[in-house]
Amino acid sequence: ENPIIKNWFSDKWEVKTENEILLNDGSILRPDRVIINNKKAVIIDYKTGIEKEEHKKQVRQYADTLGQMGYSEVLKYLLYINFEQTEDFKIVEVK
């Protein structure tokens, strides 16, 4: 029912779930979900527990890599499930 999350499951997106991205140094990134429409990409990473800066750093790295791959607009979200046991979920847009 959430309008942000609902959009992530629209058929306008090509969905990549846990696809590996091979970096120049041989390391691999594996975002939970990337949805793509032309040159726009949305990264969604699922987490449990409380917000941590390291989660934001990880999603920013995914976004930087997608930018280098030619995506001109990359939005970044963290979706915390069972957030602090008081809410079902929490959406954090990463800037």
Side-chain angles (χ1 to χ4, degrees):
E1 295 178 16
N2 181 285
I4 295 172
I5 294 173
K6 184 177 180 178
N7 179 49
W8 297 344
F9 294 91
S10 159
D11 19 345
K12 75 176 187 177
W13 300 104
E14 176 185 350
V15 178
K16 304 288 186 184
T17 306
E18 293 193 15
N19 282 17
E20 293 181 347
I21 302 170
L22 180 62
L23 302 180
N24 290 335
D25 66 2
S27 61
I28 294 174
L29 298 179
R30 190 177 295 120
D32 291 335
R33 184 179 182 92
V34 177
I35 55 178
I36 300 165
N37 185 334
N38 295 319
K39 292 293 184 179
K40 179 178 181 177
V42 180
I43 299 165
I44 303 129
D45 218 48
Y46 302 101
K47 302 292 184 191
T48 58
I50 60 171
E51 282 186 62
K52 295 181 181 176
E53 187 57 38
E54 66 192 56
H55 298 160
K56 293 177 184 177
K57 182 179 177 182
Q58 179 184 30
V59 171
R60 287 184 193 110
Q61 182 183 19
Y62 296 157
D64 290 345
T65 302
L66 289 175
Q68 292 170 18
M69 293 170 62
Y71 293 95
S72 56
E73 182 181 1
V74 181
L75 302 176
K76 307 168 287 298
Y77 291 94
L78 290 162
L79 179 58
Y80 287 92
I81 300 168
N82 295 326
F83 179 73
E84 294 183 351
Q85 307 301 323
T86 59
E87 300 176 42
D88 290 336
F89 65 90
K90 179 179 181 179
I91 302 167
V92 176
E93 184 174 5
V94 179
K95 300 293 182 179

